[in-house]
Structure formats: structure tokens, C-alpha cells
PDB file of all heavy atoms in Angstrom:
ATOM      1  N   SER A   1      72.425 100.491 140.660  1.00  0.00           N
ATOM      2  CA  SER A   1      73.727 101.226 140.887  1.00  0.00           C
ATOM      3  C   SER A   1      74.011 102.231 139.749  1.00  0.00           C
ATOM      4  O   SER A   1      74.530 103.309 140.106  1.00  0.00           O
ATOM      5  CB  SER A   1      74.901 100.313 141.004  1.00  0.00           C
ATOM      6  OG  SER A   1      75.059  99.518 139.734  1.00  0.00           O
ATOM      7  N   THR A   2      73.587 101.937 138.551  1.00  0.00           N
ATOM      8  CA  THR A   2      73.630 102.914 137.511  1.00  0.00           C
ATOM      9  C   THR A   2      72.759 104.136 137.729  1.00  0.00           C
ATOM     10  O   THR A   2      73.196 105.280 137.607  1.00  0.00           O
ATOM     11  CB  THR A   2      73.358 102.314 136.192  1.00  0.00           C
ATOM     12  OG1 THR A   2      74.299 101.196 135.993  1.00  0.00           O
ATOM     13  CG2 THR A   2      73.476 103.263 135.047  1.00  0.00           C
ATOM     14  N   PHE A   3      71.532 103.854 138.101  1.00  0.00           N
ATOM     15  CA  PHE A   3      70.549 104.913 138.271  1.00  0.00           C
ATOM     16  C   PHE A   3      71.000 105.873 139.384  1.00  0.00           C
ATOM     17  O   PHE A   3      71.097 107.120 139.153  1.00  0.00           O
ATOM     18  CB  PHE A   3      69.215 104.368 138.605  1.00  0.00           C
ATOM     19  CG  PHE A   3      67.973 105.360 138.620  1.00  0.00           C
ATOM     20  CD1 PHE A   3      67.359 105.795 137.602  1.00  0.00           C
ATOM     21  CD2 PHE A   3      67.763 106.006 139.924  1.00  0.00           C
ATOM     22  CE1 PHE A   3      66.332 106.694 137.640  1.00  0.00           C
ATOM     23  CE2 PHE A   3      66.766 106.963 140.003  1.00  0.00           C
ATOM     24  CZ  PHE A   3      65.992 107.286 138.853  1.00  0.00           C
ATOM     25  N   LEU A   4      71.434 105.397 140.526  1.00  0.00           N
ATOM     26  CA  LEU A   4      71.790 106.161 141.661  1.00  0.00           C
ATOM     27  C   LEU A   4      73.180 106.787 141.378  1.00  0.00           C
ATOM     28  O   LEU A   4      73.444 107.895 141.840  1.00  0.00           O
ATOM     29  CB  LEU A   4      71.767 105.274 142.903  1.00  0.00           C
ATOM     30  CG  LEU A   4      70.339 104.773 143.306  1.00  0.00           C
ATOM     31  CD1 LEU A   4      70.486 103.947 144.597  1.00  0.00           C
ATOM     32  CD2 LEU A   4      69.374 105.870 143.566  1.00  0.00           C
ATOM     33  N   GLY A   5      74.055 105.930 140.843  1.00  0.00           N
ATOM     34  CA  GLY A   5      75.456 106.448 140.685  1.00  0.00           C
ATOM     35  C   GLY A   5      75.562 107.643 139.696  1.00  0.00           C
ATOM     36  O   GLY A   5      76.535 108.316 139.847  1.00  0.00           O
ATOM     37  N   ILE A   6      74.802 107.732 138.686  1.00  0.00           N
ATOM     38  CA  ILE A   6      74.924 108.816 137.696  1.00  0.00           C
ATOM     39  C   ILE A   6      74.111 110.017 138.130  1.00  0.00           C
ATOM     40  O   ILE A   6      74.275 110.983 137.459  1.00  0.00           O
ATOM     41  CB  ILE A   6      74.531 108.387 136.273  1.00  0.00           C
ATOM     42  CG1 ILE A   6      73.073 108.073 136.167  1.00  0.00           C
ATOM     43  CG2 ILE A   6      75.392 107.088 135.892  1.00  0.00           C
ATOM     44  CD1 ILE A   6      72.547 107.643 134.843  1.00  0.00           C
ATOM     45  N   ILE A   7      73.405 109.994 139.233  1.00  0.00           N
ATOM     46  CA  ILE A   7      72.661 111.117 139.567  1.00  0.00           C
ATOM     47  C   ILE A   7      73.436 112.424 139.807  1.00  0.00           C
ATOM     48  O   ILE A   7      73.105 113.527 139.285  1.00  0.00           O
ATOM     49  CB  ILE A   7      71.753 110.823 140.811  1.00  0.00           C
ATOM     50  CG1 ILE A   7      70.586 109.903 140.428  1.00  0.00           C
ATOM     51  CG2 ILE A   7      71.214 112.117 141.497  1.00  0.00           C
ATOM     52  CD1 ILE A   7      69.634 109.456 141.583  1.00  0.00           C
ATOM     53  N   PRO A   8      74.586 112.344 140.606  1.00  0.00           N
ATOM     54  CA  PRO A   8      75.279 113.594 140.859  1.00  0.00           C
ATOM     55  C   PRO A   8      75.869 114.325 139.576  1.00  0.00           C
ATOM     56  O   PRO A   8      75.469 115.502 139.456  1.00  0.00           O
ATOM     57  CB  PRO A   8      76.579 113.126 141.707  1.00  0.00           C
ATOM     58  CG  PRO A   8      76.062 111.863 142.326  1.00  0.00           C
ATOM     59  CD  PRO A   8      75.091 111.165 141.334  1.00  0.00           C
ATOM     60  N   GLY A   9      76.443 113.534 138.683  1.00  0.00           N
ATOM     61  CA  GLY A   9      76.838 114.159 137.470  1.00  0.00           C
ATOM     62  C   GLY A   9      75.735 114.648 136.642  1.00  0.00           C
ATOM     63  O   GLY A   9      75.785 115.754 135.993  1.00  0.00           O
ATOM     64  N   ALA A  10      74.723 113.853 136.477  1.00  0.00           N
ATOM     65  CA  ALA A  10      73.532 114.259 135.714  1.00  0.00           C
ATOM     66  C   ALA A  10      72.817 115.472 136.181  1.00  0.00           C
ATOM     67  O   ALA A  10      72.498 116.358 135.447  1.00  0.00           O
ATOM     68  CB  ALA A  10      72.442 113.129 135.662  1.00  0.00           C
ATOM     69  N   VAL A  11      72.775 115.629 137.487  1.00  0.00           N
ATOM     70  CA  VAL A  11      72.150 116.928 138.114  1.00  0.00           C
ATOM     71  C   VAL A  11      72.936 118.128 137.709  1.00  0.00           C
ATOM     72  O   VAL A  11      72.469 119.128 137.306  1.00  0.00           O
ATOM     73  CB  VAL A  11      71.979 116.662 139.596  1.00  0.00           C
ATOM     74  CG1 VAL A  11      71.562 118.125 140.198  1.00  0.00           C
ATOM     75  CG2 VAL A  11      70.916 115.713 139.905  1.00  0.00           C
ATOM     76  N   VAL A  12      74.290 118.006 137.781  1.00  0.00           N
ATOM     77  CA  VAL A  12      75.169 119.070 137.485  1.00  0.00           C
ATOM     78  C   VAL A  12      74.982 119.549 136.036  1.00  0.00           C
ATOM     79  O   VAL A  12      74.779 120.689 135.788  1.00  0.00           O
ATOM     80  CB  VAL A  12      76.627 118.723 137.736  1.00  0.00           C
ATOM     81  CG1 VAL A  12      77.571 119.788 137.306  1.00  0.00           C
ATOM     82  CG2 VAL A  12      76.926 118.553 139.286  1.00  0.00           C
ATOM     83  N   TYR A  13      75.078 118.582 135.143  1.00  0.00           N
ATOM     84  CA  TYR A  13      74.972 118.970 133.698  1.00  0.00           C
ATOM     85  C   TYR A  13      73.571 119.332 133.291  1.00  0.00           C
ATOM     86  O   TYR A  13      73.352 120.181 132.412  1.00  0.00           O
ATOM     87  CB  TYR A  13      75.457 117.801 132.836  1.00  0.00           C
ATOM     88  CG  TYR A  13      77.053 117.687 132.860  1.00  0.00           C
ATOM     89  CD1 TYR A  13      77.576 116.550 133.240  1.00  0.00           C
ATOM     90  CD2 TYR A  13      77.786 118.756 132.526  1.00  0.00           C
ATOM     91  CE1 TYR A  13      79.022 116.350 133.097  1.00  0.00           C
ATOM     92  CE2 TYR A  13      79.187 118.705 132.499  1.00  0.00           C
ATOM     93  CZ  TYR A  13      79.775 117.427 132.804  1.00  0.00           C
ATOM     94  OH  TYR A  13      81.083 117.255 132.796  1.00  0.00           O
ATOM     95  N   THR A  14      72.557 118.784 133.954  1.00  0.00           N
ATOM     96  CA  THR A  14      71.296 119.247 133.676  1.00  0.00           C
ATOM     97  C   THR A  14      71.010 120.635 134.155  1.00  0.00           C
ATOM     98  O   THR A  14      70.296 121.384 133.438  1.00  0.00           O
ATOM     99  CB  THR A  14      70.212 118.242 134.378  1.00  0.00           C
ATOM    100  OG1 THR A  14      70.546 116.871 133.987  1.00  0.00           O
ATOM    101  CG2 THR A  14      68.730 118.579 134.001  1.00  0.00           C
ATOM    102  N   SER A  15      71.552 120.942 135.293  1.00  0.00           N
ATOM    103  CA  SER A  15      71.390 122.333 135.709  1.00  0.00           C
ATOM    104  C   SER A  15      72.084 123.333 134.826  1.00  0.00           C
ATOM    105  O   SER A  15      71.654 124.432 134.589  1.00  0.00           O
ATOM    106  CB  SER A  15      71.982 122.473 137.168  1.00  0.00           C
ATOM    107  OG  SER A  15      73.380 122.284 137.222  1.00  0.00           O
ATOM    108  N   VAL A  16      73.164 122.894 134.187  1.00  0.00           N
ATOM    109  CA  VAL A  16      73.948 123.730 133.244  1.00  0.00           C
ATOM    110  C   VAL A  16      73.041 123.934 132.044  1.00  0.00           C
ATOM    111  O   VAL A  16      72.820 125.047 131.483  1.00  0.00           O
ATOM    112  CB  VAL A  16      75.250 123.177 132.778  1.00  0.00           C
ATOM    113  CG1 VAL A  16      75.828 123.881 131.661  1.00  0.00           C
ATOM    114  CG2 VAL A  16      76.192 123.064 133.901  1.00  0.00           C
ATOM    115  N   GLY A  17      72.368 122.861 131.610  1.00  0.00           N
ATOM    116  CA  GLY A  17      71.436 122.965 130.495  1.00  0.00           C
ATOM    117  C   GLY A  17      70.230 123.885 130.809  1.00  0.00           C
ATOM    118  O   GLY A  17      69.764 124.631 129.873  1.00  0.00           O
ATOM    119  N   ALA A  18      69.801 123.858 132.037  1.00  0.00           N
ATOM    120  CA  ALA A  18      68.626 124.670 132.452  1.00  0.00           C
ATOM    121  C   ALA A  18      69.017 126.114 132.310  1.00  0.00           C
ATOM    122  O   ALA A  18      68.123 126.975 132.111  1.00  0.00           O
ATOM    123  CB  ALA A  18      68.197 124.332 133.861  1.00  0.00           C
ATOM    124  N   GLY A  19      70.261 126.511 132.344  1.00  0.00           N
ATOM    125  CA  GLY A  19      70.645 127.925 132.203  1.00  0.00           C
ATOM    126  C   GLY A  19      71.152 128.314 130.802  1.00  0.00           C
ATOM    127  O   GLY A  19      71.639 129.381 130.611  1.00  0.00           O
ATOM    128  N   LEU A  20      70.915 127.442 129.884  1.00  0.00           N
ATOM    129  CA  LEU A  20      71.340 127.690 128.518  1.00  0.00           C
ATOM    130  C   LEU A  20      70.661 128.879 127.838  1.00  0.00           C
ATOM    131  O   LEU A  20      71.233 129.430 126.921  1.00  0.00           O
ATOM    132  CB  LEU A  20      71.161 126.443 127.589  1.00  0.00           C
ATOM    133  CG  LEU A  20      72.220 125.365 127.822  1.00  0.00           C
ATOM    134  CD1 LEU A  20      71.895 124.162 126.783  1.00  0.00           C
ATOM    135  CD2 LEU A  20      73.592 125.920 127.584  1.00  0.00           C
ATOM    136  N   GLY A  21      69.451 129.188 128.227  1.00  0.00           N
ATOM    137  CA  GLY A  21      68.812 130.376 127.668  1.00  0.00           C
ATOM    138  C   GLY A  21      69.614 131.585 127.786  1.00  0.00           C
ATOM    139  O   GLY A  21      69.782 132.362 126.889  1.00  0.00           O
ATOM    140  N   GLN A  22      70.107 131.836 128.934  1.00  0.00           N
ATOM    141  CA  GLN A  22      70.908 132.993 129.144  1.00  0.00           C
ATOM    142  C   GLN A  22      72.282 132.938 128.495  1.00  0.00           C
ATOM    143  O   GLN A  22      72.805 133.939 127.991  1.00  0.00           O
ATOM    144  CB  GLN A  22      71.231 133.168 130.738  1.00  0.00           C
ATOM    145  CG  GLN A  22      70.004 133.392 131.596  1.00  0.00           C
ATOM    146  CD  GLN A  22      70.211 133.490 132.943  1.00  0.00           C
ATOM    147  OE1 GLN A  22      71.356 133.209 133.446  1.00  0.00           O
ATOM    148  NE2 GLN A  22      69.270 133.863 133.805  1.00  0.00           N
ATOM    149  N   VAL A  23      72.798 131.639 128.412  1.00  0.00           N
ATOM    150  CA  VAL A  23      74.039 131.415 127.642  1.00  0.00           C
ATOM    151  C   VAL A  23      73.831 131.850 126.062  1.00  0.00           C
ATOM    152  O   VAL A  23      74.703 132.474 125.513  1.00  0.00           O
ATOM    153  CB  VAL A  23      74.521 130.023 127.762  1.00  0.00           C
ATOM    154  CG1 VAL A  23      75.738 129.753 126.837  1.00  0.00           C
ATOM    155  CG2 VAL A  23      74.925 129.677 129.231  1.00  0.00           C
ATOM    156  N   PHE A  24      72.705 131.406 125.616  1.00  0.00           N
ATOM    157  CA  PHE A  24      72.477 131.660 124.153  1.00  0.00           C
ATOM    158  C   PHE A  24      72.348 133.194 123.966  1.00  0.00           C
ATOM    159  O   PHE A  24      72.775 133.710 122.946  1.00  0.00           O
ATOM    160  CB  PHE A  24      71.120 130.948 123.790  1.00  0.00           C
ATOM    161  CG  PHE A  24      71.171 129.545 123.617  1.00  0.00           C
ATOM    162  CD1 PHE A  24      70.226 128.688 124.100  1.00  0.00           C
ATOM    163  CD2 PHE A  24      72.410 128.843 123.111  1.00  0.00           C
ATOM    164  CE1 PHE A  24      70.329 127.253 123.985  1.00  0.00           C
ATOM    165  CE2 PHE A  24      72.602 127.574 123.018  1.00  0.00           C
ATOM    166  CZ  PHE A  24      71.468 126.653 123.417  1.00  0.00           C
ATOM    167  N   GLU A  25      71.684 133.864 124.868  1.00  0.00           N
ATOM    168  CA  GLU A  25      71.440 135.293 124.703  1.00  0.00           C
ATOM    169  C   GLU A  25      72.784 136.031 124.763  1.00  0.00           C
ATOM    170  O   GLU A  25      72.971 137.008 124.042  1.00  0.00           O
ATOM    171  CB  GLU A  25      70.624 135.784 125.875  1.00  0.00           C
ATOM    172  CG  GLU A  25      69.141 135.297 125.805  1.00  0.00           C
ATOM    173  CD  GLU A  25      68.390 135.769 127.039  1.00  0.00           C
ATOM    174  OE1 GLU A  25      68.897 136.495 127.888  1.00  0.00           O
ATOM    175  OE2 GLU A  25      67.042 135.514 127.136  1.00  0.00           O
TER     176      GLU A  25
END
């Protein structure tokens, strides 16, 4: 339940992290 339940929030914040290169620039 932990693994599956945290997927939605984790995907959102991970995708934010994936765009940090542009944020840093």
C-alpha cells in the first residue's frame, strides 16, 4: 500500500525535479 499509494505524489515531484535544469538556468 505504501509503494502504490505514494506513486502519484512521487511522480509529480519527480517530474518537477526533472525540469530543474531550466529552473536553475
